[in-house]
Amino acid sequence: MKTVFSLIESPVHPNFGALYQQLGMQEERFNAARKLHKALQQQAPDFLTGEFIYGYGNNYAGANVCNLDVTLRALQRFSPQTKVIVFCNKEDMQYVDKLAALFPLHAVLALPSSEQAMREALQIPL
């Protein structure tokens, strides 16, 4: 059974739980990155979903692009084969390339995302 780890850091993160279940996938939902990092040490998911939130005013001197940097670094260490699907609002879409330059992204879906877009990102035919 394929697994999806969903990092849910805001209310706009789409809920595709019913789609995952329909496709025979198991989803684990995390509301804190540190809990997800701990789970990565125990299990390597097939997919990771997370919302891209650009770090406009972060004080990391350019070391971090967004909220997902640390999580994607952990993913490289513990589960490099996991495919990353990022949700992004239209205003931040112009910055996703900065993240893609640092980490492999399987798909970037604009918010609000449809079930069909997610199905295509998962590469599972109708």
Side-chain angles (χ1 to χ4, degrees):
M1 174 179 285
K2 292 192 183 259
T3 56
V4 179
F5 279 11
S6 296
L7 179 58
I8 302 167
E9 297 183 292
S10 83
V12 299
H13 187 106
N15 183 352
F16 289 119
L19 174 64
Y20 300 143
Q21 190 173 30
Q22 175 189 0
L23 297 173
M25 302 174 85
Q26 179 182 354
E27 179 187 27
E28 288 195 46
R29 300 167 66 91
F30 301 89
N31 59 8
R34 63 181 156 62
K35 291 180 182 177
L36 186 143
H37 299 172
K38 188 172 182 175
L40 283 174
Q41 294 176 33
Q42 307 299 317
Q43 177 184 0
D46 296 290
F47 294 93
L48 171 79
T49 68
E51 183 185 351
F52 175 86
I53 302 170
Y54 184 66
Y56 289 98
N58 72 34
N59 54 0
Y60 296 113
N64 289 43
V65 173
C66 70
N67 61 311
L68 296 174
D69 291 354
V70 174
T71 297
L72 296 181
R73 278 189 180 75
L75 195 68
Q76 283 180 326
R77 180 174 178 201
F78 296 111
S79 183
Q81 76 284 358
T82 296
K83 295 177 181 168
V84 178
I85 300 173
V86 174
F87 301 110
C88 185
N89 67 44
K90 290 176 177 76
E91 295 79 27
D92 288 347
M93 193 63 80
Q94 62 185 322
Y95 302 111
V96 171
D97 288 344
K98 291 182 178 190
L99 184 66
L102 300 172
F103 304 100
L105 302 180
H106 179 68
V108 177
L109 303 179
L111 289 169
S113 296
S114 69
E115 242 184 51
Q116 181 59 34
M118 178 52 98
R119 185 183 293 271
E120 290 171 11
L122 296 169
Q123 298 178 333
I124 297 174
L126 289 171

Short mmCIF file of all heavy atoms in Angstrom, two decimals, residues 2-4 14 16 19-20 23 25 46-50 81-87 105-110 113-126:
data_model
loop_
_atom_site.label_atom_id
_atom_site.label_comp_id
_atom_site.label_asym_id
_atom_site.label_seq_id
_atom_site.Cartn_x
_atom_site.Cartn_y
_atom_site.Cartn_z
N LYS A 2 0.61 2.16 -0.89
CA LYS A 2 1.37 3.41 -0.96
C LYS A 2 0.95 4.33 0.19
O LYS A 2 -0.19 4.30 0.63
CB LYS A 2 1.14 4.10 -2.30
CG LYS A 2 1.76 3.34 -3.45
CD LYS A 2 1.79 4.18 -4.70
CE LYS A 2 2.34 3.37 -5.84
NZ LYS A 2 3.71 3.68 -6.13
N THR A 3 1.92 5.13 0.66
CA THR A 3 1.65 6.03 1.77
C THR A 3 1.91 7.48 1.36
O THR A 3 2.78 7.76 0.54
CB THR A 3 2.54 5.69 2.98
OG1 THR A 3 3.90 5.73 2.58
CG2 THR A 3 2.20 4.34 3.55
N VAL A 4 1.12 8.35 1.98
CA VAL A 4 1.25 9.80 1.79
C VAL A 4 1.40 10.43 3.16
O VAL A 4 0.58 10.19 4.05
CB VAL A 4 0.00 10.39 1.10
CG1 VAL A 4 0.13 11.89 0.93
CG2 VAL A 4 -0.26 9.72 -0.24
N PRO A 14 -5.31 21.35 0.98
CA PRO A 14 -6.46 20.55 0.53
C PRO A 14 -6.55 19.20 1.25
O PRO A 14 -5.53 18.60 1.57
CB PRO A 14 -6.19 20.32 -0.96
CG PRO A 14 -4.99 21.09 -1.31
CD PRO A 14 -4.34 21.57 -0.06
N PHE A 16 -7.38 15.66 0.66
CA PHE A 16 -7.60 14.63 -0.34
C PHE A 16 -7.69 13.25 0.29
O PHE A 16 -7.44 12.23 -0.37
CB PHE A 16 -6.48 14.66 -1.39
CG PHE A 16 -6.53 15.85 -2.30
CD1 PHE A 16 -5.48 16.75 -2.34
CD2 PHE A 16 -7.63 16.09 -3.11
CE1 PHE A 16 -5.52 17.86 -3.17
CE2 PHE A 16 -7.68 17.18 -3.95
CZ PHE A 16 -6.63 18.07 -3.97
N LEU A 19 -9.80 10.81 -1.64
CA LEU A 19 -9.15 10.37 -2.88
C LEU A 19 -8.07 9.33 -2.58
O LEU A 19 -7.99 8.30 -3.24
CB LEU A 19 -8.52 11.57 -3.61
CG LEU A 19 -7.69 11.22 -4.85
CD1 LEU A 19 -8.56 10.61 -5.94
CD2 LEU A 19 -6.95 12.45 -5.36
N TYR A 20 -7.25 9.59 -1.57
CA TYR A 20 -6.21 8.63 -1.20
C TYR A 20 -6.82 7.27 -0.86
O TYR A 20 -6.34 6.23 -1.29
CB TYR A 20 -5.38 9.13 -0.02
CG TYR A 20 -4.67 10.44 -0.24
CD1 TYR A 20 -4.55 11.36 0.79
CD2 TYR A 20 -4.12 10.79 -1.48
CE1 TYR A 20 -3.90 12.57 0.61
CE2 TYR A 20 -3.47 12.00 -1.66
CZ TYR A 20 -3.36 12.88 -0.61
OH TYR A 20 -2.71 14.07 -0.79
N LEU A 23 -7.98 5.46 -3.85
CA LEU A 23 -6.86 4.93 -4.62
C LEU A 23 -6.08 3.85 -3.88
O LEU A 23 -5.07 3.36 -4.36
CB LEU A 23 -5.91 6.08 -5.01
CG LEU A 23 -6.51 7.15 -5.91
CD1 LEU A 23 -5.54 8.31 -6.07
CD2 LEU A 23 -6.91 6.57 -7.25
N MET A 25 -4.53 4.22 -0.97
CA MET A 25 -3.34 4.80 -0.34
C MET A 25 -3.66 5.13 1.11
O MET A 25 -4.80 5.42 1.45
CB MET A 25 -2.92 6.07 -1.08
CG MET A 25 -2.62 5.85 -2.55
SD MET A 25 -2.30 7.39 -3.42
CE MET A 25 -0.56 7.58 -3.06
N ASP A 46 5.73 7.14 0.26
CA ASP A 46 5.85 7.24 -1.20
C ASP A 46 5.74 8.68 -1.65
O ASP A 46 6.40 9.10 -2.60
CB ASP A 46 4.77 6.38 -1.87
CG ASP A 46 4.95 4.92 -1.55
OD1 ASP A 46 5.92 4.33 -2.05
OD2 ASP A 46 4.15 4.37 -0.76
N PHE A 47 4.86 9.44 -0.97
CA PHE A 47 4.62 10.84 -1.31
C PHE A 47 4.63 11.70 -0.05
O PHE A 47 4.23 11.24 1.02
CB PHE A 47 3.26 11.02 -2.00
CG PHE A 47 3.16 10.35 -3.34
CD1 PHE A 47 2.66 9.07 -3.46
CD2 PHE A 47 3.58 11.01 -4.49
CE1 PHE A 47 2.57 8.45 -4.69
CE2 PHE A 47 3.49 10.39 -5.73
CZ PHE A 47 2.98 9.12 -5.83
N LEU A 48 5.04 12.96 -0.23
CA LEU A 48 4.94 13.96 0.83
C LEU A 48 4.22 15.16 0.22
O LEU A 48 4.59 15.62 -0.86
CB LEU A 48 6.31 14.39 1.32
CG LEU A 48 6.30 15.60 2.26
CD1 LEU A 48 5.91 15.17 3.66
CD2 LEU A 48 7.64 16.29 2.29
N THR A 49 3.18 15.65 0.90
CA THR A 49 2.52 16.86 0.45
C THR A 49 2.70 17.95 1.50
O THR A 49 2.73 17.67 2.69
CB THR A 49 1.01 16.65 0.21
OG1 THR A 49 0.34 16.41 1.45
CG2 THR A 49 0.74 15.51 -0.75
N GLY A 50 2.84 19.17 1.02
CA GLY A 50 2.98 20.30 1.92
C GLY A 50 2.69 21.59 1.20
O GLY A 50 2.84 21.68 -0.03
N GLN A 81 13.83 8.81 -1.85
CA GLN A 81 12.99 8.37 -2.98
C GLN A 81 11.56 8.91 -2.91
O GLN A 81 10.80 8.78 -3.85
CB GLN A 81 12.98 6.84 -3.08
CG GLN A 81 12.11 6.15 -2.04
CD GLN A 81 12.72 6.09 -0.64
OE1 GLN A 81 13.83 6.54 -0.39
NE2 GLN A 81 11.97 5.53 0.30
N THR A 82 11.19 9.53 -1.80
CA THR A 82 9.84 10.07 -1.64
C THR A 82 9.60 11.19 -2.65
O THR A 82 10.44 12.06 -2.84
CB THR A 82 9.64 10.60 -0.21
OG1 THR A 82 9.75 9.51 0.69
CG2 THR A 82 8.28 11.26 -0.03
N LYS A 83 8.43 11.17 -3.27
CA LYS A 83 8.06 12.20 -4.24
C LYS A 83 7.34 13.33 -3.50
O LYS A 83 6.43 13.08 -2.72
CB LYS A 83 7.16 11.60 -5.32
CG LYS A 83 7.90 10.57 -6.16
CD LYS A 83 6.99 9.94 -7.18
CE LYS A 83 7.80 8.91 -7.97
NZ LYS A 83 6.95 8.06 -8.77
N VAL A 84 7.77 14.55 -3.79
CA VAL A 84 7.24 15.73 -3.10
C VAL A 84 6.23 16.45 -3.97
O VAL A 84 6.52 16.81 -5.12
CB VAL A 84 8.38 16.69 -2.72
CG1 VAL A 84 7.84 17.94 -2.04
CG2 VAL A 84 9.40 15.99 -1.83
N ILE A 85 5.04 16.66 -3.41
CA ILE A 85 3.99 17.43 -4.07
C ILE A 85 3.74 18.67 -3.23
O ILE A 85 3.43 18.57 -2.05
CB ILE A 85 2.69 16.60 -4.23
CG1 ILE A 85 2.98 15.35 -5.07
CG2 ILE A 85 1.58 17.46 -4.84
CD1 ILE A 85 1.83 14.37 -5.14
N VAL A 86 3.91 19.83 -3.86
CA VAL A 86 3.80 21.10 -3.16
C VAL A 86 2.54 21.83 -3.61
O VAL A 86 2.27 21.92 -4.81
CB VAL A 86 5.05 21.97 -3.45
CG1 VAL A 86 4.90 23.35 -2.88
CG2 VAL A 86 6.30 21.30 -2.92
N PHE A 87 1.80 22.36 -2.64
CA PHE A 87 0.65 23.22 -2.93
C PHE A 87 1.11 24.66 -2.77
O PHE A 87 1.84 24.98 -1.83
CB PHE A 87 -0.50 22.96 -1.96
CG PHE A 87 -0.99 21.53 -1.99
CD1 PHE A 87 -0.77 20.69 -0.92
CD2 PHE A 87 -1.66 21.04 -3.09
CE1 PHE A 87 -1.22 19.37 -0.93
CE2 PHE A 87 -2.11 19.73 -3.13
CZ PHE A 87 -1.89 18.90 -2.04
N LEU A 105 11.24 18.44 -6.82
CA LEU A 105 9.80 18.49 -6.59
C LEU A 105 9.11 17.66 -7.66
O LEU A 105 9.35 17.87 -8.86
CB LEU A 105 9.29 19.94 -6.63
CG LEU A 105 9.93 20.92 -5.65
CD1 LEU A 105 9.32 22.31 -5.83
CD2 LEU A 105 9.78 20.44 -4.22
N HIS A 106 8.28 16.76 -7.24
CA HIS A 106 7.55 15.89 -8.18
C HIS A 106 6.45 16.68 -8.89
O HIS A 106 6.24 16.51 -10.10
CB HIS A 106 6.97 14.70 -7.41
CG HIS A 106 6.19 13.76 -8.26
ND1 HIS A 106 6.76 12.97 -9.23
CD2 HIS A 106 4.86 13.49 -8.29
CE1 HIS A 106 5.82 12.26 -9.81
NE2 HIS A 106 4.66 12.55 -9.25
N ALA A 107 5.75 17.52 -8.14
CA ALA A 107 4.66 18.32 -8.73
C ALA A 107 4.42 19.55 -7.87
O ALA A 107 4.64 19.54 -6.66
CB ALA A 107 3.38 17.50 -8.81
N VAL A 108 3.97 20.61 -8.54
CA VAL A 108 3.55 21.84 -7.86
C VAL A 108 2.12 22.11 -8.30
O VAL A 108 1.86 22.24 -9.50
CB VAL A 108 4.46 23.04 -8.23
CG1 VAL A 108 3.94 24.31 -7.57
CG2 VAL A 108 5.90 22.77 -7.84
N LEU A 109 1.21 22.15 -7.34
CA LEU A 109 -0.21 22.36 -7.64
C LEU A 109 -0.66 23.70 -7.09
O LEU A 109 -0.42 24.02 -5.93
CB LEU A 109 -1.06 21.24 -7.02
CG LEU A 109 -0.71 19.81 -7.43
CD1 LEU A 109 -1.63 18.82 -6.73
CD2 LEU A 109 -0.80 19.64 -8.93
N ALA A 110 -1.30 24.49 -7.95
CA ALA A 110 -1.82 25.79 -7.53
C ALA A 110 -3.04 25.59 -6.64
O ALA A 110 -3.84 24.68 -6.85
CB ALA A 110 -2.20 26.62 -8.76
N SER A 113 -6.55 23.39 -5.26
CA SER A 113 -6.21 22.25 -6.13
C SER A 113 -7.40 21.32 -6.26
O SER A 113 -8.12 21.08 -5.29
CB SER A 113 -5.03 21.48 -5.55
OG SER A 113 -3.89 22.28 -5.52
N SER A 114 -7.55 20.78 -7.45
CA SER A 114 -8.66 19.86 -7.70
C SER A 114 -8.22 18.41 -7.47
O SER A 114 -7.02 18.10 -7.47
CB SER A 114 -9.15 20.02 -9.14
OG SER A 114 -8.16 19.53 -10.04
N GLU A 115 -9.20 17.56 -7.31
CA GLU A 115 -8.93 16.14 -7.17
C GLU A 115 -8.24 15.60 -8.42
O GLU A 115 -7.34 14.77 -8.34
CB GLU A 115 -10.24 15.37 -6.93
CG GLU A 115 -10.25 14.67 -5.62
CD GLU A 115 -11.50 13.82 -5.41
OE1 GLU A 115 -11.86 13.00 -6.28
OE2 GLU A 115 -12.09 13.99 -4.33
N GLN A 116 -8.68 16.09 -9.58
CA GLN A 116 -8.08 15.64 -10.85
C GLN A 116 -6.60 16.03 -10.91
O GLN A 116 -5.76 15.23 -11.33
CB GLN A 116 -8.83 16.23 -12.05
CG GLN A 116 -8.28 15.79 -13.39
CD GLN A 116 -8.29 14.27 -13.59
OE1 GLN A 116 -9.18 13.58 -13.11
NE2 GLN A 116 -7.29 13.75 -14.27
N ALA A 117 -6.26 17.24 -10.48
CA ALA A 117 -4.86 17.68 -10.48
C ALA A 117 -4.03 16.78 -9.56
O ALA A 117 -2.91 16.40 -9.90
CB ALA A 117 -4.75 19.14 -10.07
N MET A 118 -4.59 16.45 -8.40
CA MET A 118 -3.86 15.58 -7.48
C MET A 118 -3.72 14.18 -8.04
O MET A 118 -2.66 13.57 -7.95
CB MET A 118 -4.54 15.53 -6.11
CG MET A 118 -3.84 14.60 -5.13
SD MET A 118 -2.06 14.90 -4.97
CE MET A 118 -2.05 15.87 -3.50
N ARG A 119 -4.76 13.69 -8.66
CA ARG A 119 -4.71 12.35 -9.28
C ARG A 119 -3.59 12.31 -10.33
O ARG A 119 -2.82 11.36 -10.40
CB ARG A 119 -6.05 12.02 -9.91
CG ARG A 119 -6.14 10.62 -10.48
CD ARG A 119 -7.48 10.37 -11.16
NE ARG A 119 -8.58 10.36 -10.23
CZ ARG A 119 -9.01 9.27 -9.59
NH1 ARG A 119 -8.41 8.12 -9.77
NH2 ARG A 119 -10.02 9.34 -8.77
N GLU A 120 -3.50 13.36 -11.13
CA GLU A 120 -2.44 13.43 -12.15
C GLU A 120 -1.07 13.51 -11.49
O GLU A 120 -0.10 12.91 -11.97
CB GLU A 120 -2.68 14.63 -13.07
CG GLU A 120 -3.87 14.45 -13.98
CD GLU A 120 -4.24 15.70 -14.74
OE1 GLU A 120 -3.46 16.69 -14.74
OE2 GLU A 120 -5.33 15.71 -15.36
N ALA A 121 -0.95 14.27 -10.40
CA ALA A 121 0.33 14.36 -9.69
C ALA A 121 0.74 13.01 -9.13
O ALA A 121 1.93 12.68 -9.10
CB ALA A 121 0.24 15.40 -8.58
N LEU A 122 -0.22 12.24 -8.69
CA LEU A 122 0.06 10.90 -8.17
C LEU A 122 0.32 9.90 -9.30
O LEU A 122 0.72 8.78 -9.04
CB LEU A 122 -1.11 10.41 -7.30
CG LEU A 122 -1.36 11.22 -6.03
CD1 LEU A 122 -2.69 10.79 -5.40
CD2 LEU A 122 -0.22 11.07 -5.05
N GLN A 123 0.05 10.33 -10.53
CA GLN A 123 0.24 9.51 -11.73
C GLN A 123 -0.55 8.23 -11.67
O GLN A 123 -0.05 7.15 -12.00
CB GLN A 123 1.72 9.25 -11.98
CG GLN A 123 2.51 10.51 -12.22
CD GLN A 123 3.98 10.24 -12.42
OE1 GLN A 123 4.54 9.27 -11.95
NE2 GLN A 123 4.63 11.13 -13.15
N ILE A 124 -1.79 8.35 -11.23
CA ILE A 124 -2.67 7.20 -11.17
C ILE A 124 -3.83 7.47 -12.14
O ILE A 124 -4.57 8.43 -11.97
CB ILE A 124 -3.20 6.96 -9.74
CG1 ILE A 124 -2.00 6.63 -8.84
CG2 ILE A 124 -4.22 5.84 -9.72
CD1 ILE A 124 -2.34 6.52 -7.38
N PRO A 125 -3.99 6.65 -13.18
CA PRO A 125 -5.03 6.91 -14.18
C PRO A 125 -6.42 6.74 -13.62
O PRO A 125 -6.64 6.06 -12.62
CB PRO A 125 -4.75 5.88 -15.26
CG PRO A 125 -3.96 4.80 -14.60
CD PRO A 125 -3.24 5.45 -13.45
N LEU A 126 -7.39 7.38 -14.31
CA LEU A 126 -8.80 7.27 -13.91
C LEU A 126 -9.29 5.85 -14.01
O LEU A 126 -8.87 5.07 -14.77
CB LEU A 126 -9.67 8.16 -14.80
CG LEU A 126 -9.53 9.65 -14.56
CD1 LEU A 126 -10.27 10.42 -15.64
CD2 LEU A 126 -10.06 10.01 -13.20
#
